[in-house]
Amino acid sequence: MHTAFDVQLLPVLRELADRGSVTAVAVATHRTPSAVSQQLQTLQRQVGVVLVERVGRGVRLTDAGHALARTAVGVATAIAEAEAAWDAYRAGVTGTVGLALFPSAAELLLPGLLTRMREHPGIRVELADQDVSEASFAPLAADHDVVIGHRSDGVPPADRAALTTVPLLREPLDVAVPPDHPLAGRERVGVEEVIGDTWLGVPVDYPIDRTLTAMAARADIAPTVAFRSIHLAVLENLVAAGHGIALLPRYTSRTRAVGRFHLAVLADVRAGRHIEALVRPDRAARPAVRTVLDALVAEARSVTA
């Protein structure tokens, strides 16, 4: 490999590693596909090694391409740290931070976060609603500075290894039953007592659904799910009206449960979801992004206190 090449060409290689196609890179970087291809070819000539190979109508990175793309992350992080230090010296912590989060995380964390950010008038937070399956949060980090994702208890998804992950909180999942349900007076319930009931759930492969799947595996009974929605308030209303039972996140739903439905602890399964902030390492180096992350961590502690 040649020792001299233009490091300003590295970002396009990194974007290809993250996004998978020249067209997606072109859209994300506001270039034409032809311009992206030319930059890749230029970088390839400079390093003297094949970085990209044709596969059908598209392309993919070679092993050398993946290795250099990983180097691009380190270069981008170093540049971001240098720019951040200079910006802080000149004008303090300022800038715009793009924050993507799913609705129930917004309900739980956003009001307090925005209140805390009033102490940092030089930082503008741009919000985006993103409610996706567990495996789809990491790719959002390519387009947003901070992504709030959630996952079920267990091993973190492998695709988050290249990102900086900031744990915010673990939120237990409780069983919500109507006020006239036979279990409404119980503080704790077992899997076998509830798995055969009519369930109201979230879409398949969302963290809460993964817990229901684990419960079904433990009891060896397939649950009957009458209705699915990404909106927890809809599920709460259906439970309150007596149309079934549901797994609901404790901190998010407890204030609305009073007088409407009963939340019981699930006794024999570790049921919960982890809420985390996902950030590209170079973006995590920006003081404005770090300030937002610190505020999120503080707000999460407040919520769980």
Side-chain angles (χ1 to χ4, degrees), residues 23-289:
T23 300
V25 173
V27 171
T29 60
H30 308 290
R31 298 180 173 95
T32 65
S34 176
V36 172
S37 296
Q38 288 175 9
Q39 287 192 323
L40 290 169
Q41 290 167 10
T42 299
L43 180 60
Q44 193 164 260
R45 284 196 304 271
Q46 290 178 353
V47 300
V49 173
V50 176
L51 302 174
V52 179
E53 59 187 3
R54 282 264 172 207
V55 179
R57 294 185 177 181
V59 297
R60 69 183 175 193
L61 295 182
T62 63
D63 289 344
H66 279 292
L68 197 55
R70 288 192 293 271
T71 301
V73 176
V75 171
T77 302
I79 292 173
E81 288 173 344
E83 291 176 343
W86 180 242
D87 289 343
Y89 172 77
R90 292 177 59 200
V93 180
T94 61
T96 299
V97 177
L99 173 63
L101 66 176
F102 58 97
S104 60
E107 180 182 349
L108 195 63
L109 298 173
L110 188 56
L113 169 68
L114 295 181
T115 298
R116 293 174 189 275
M117 292 308 298
R118 288 174 180 165
E119 299 178 10
H120 307 279
I123 300 175
R124 179 170 175 261
V125 180
E126 289 186 346
L127 302 173
D129 275 334
Q130 292 287 353
D131 201 353
V132 296
S133 64
E134 183 172 323
S136 298
F137 283 105
L140 294 175
D143 297 312
H144 305 277
D145 295 313
V146 179
V147 176
I148 306 301
H150 58 155
R151 62 176 176 84
S152 48
D153 282 328
V155 179
D159 62 354
R160 299 185 183 182
L163 299 174
T164 297
T165 300
V166 179
L168 297 177
L169 61 94
R170 179 185 178 273
E171 186 172 21
L173 298 177
D174 293 335
V175 180
V177 300
D180 59 352
H181 193 281
L183 298 175
R186 296 270 296 280
E187 181 180 347
R188 301 168 69 86
V189 297
V191 170
E192 289 77 8
E193 295 179 286
V194 295
I195 193 65
D197 214 319
T198 299
W199 285 89
L200 305 161
V202 297
V204 174
D205 287 338
Y206 278 53
I208 294 176
D209 184 69
R210 289 179 181 270
T211 299
L212 182 59
T213 300
M215 293 168 58
R218 180 185 179 93
D220 197 23
I221 297 174
T224 299
V225 181
F227 181 78
R228 295 181 185 270
S229 174
I230 61 174
H231 301 294
L232 295 183
V234 173
L235 301 181
E236 292 170 354
N237 289 343
L238 290 172
V239 171
H243 295 294
I245 68 175
L247 285 173
L248 293 176
R250 180 179 301 168
Y251 306 134
T252 306
S253 294
R254 63 185 174 188
T255 57
R256 294 192 295 266
V258 179
R260 299 180 60 232
F261 54 88
H262 175 71
L263 291 175
V265 175
L266 194 57
D268 43 9
V269 167
R270 180 173 167 80
R273 63 174 182 174
H274 295 266
I275 299 179
E276 303 166 323
L278 308 175
V279 194
R280 278 185 169 186
D282 50 313
R283 291 176 180 168
R286 290 174 48 206
V289 172

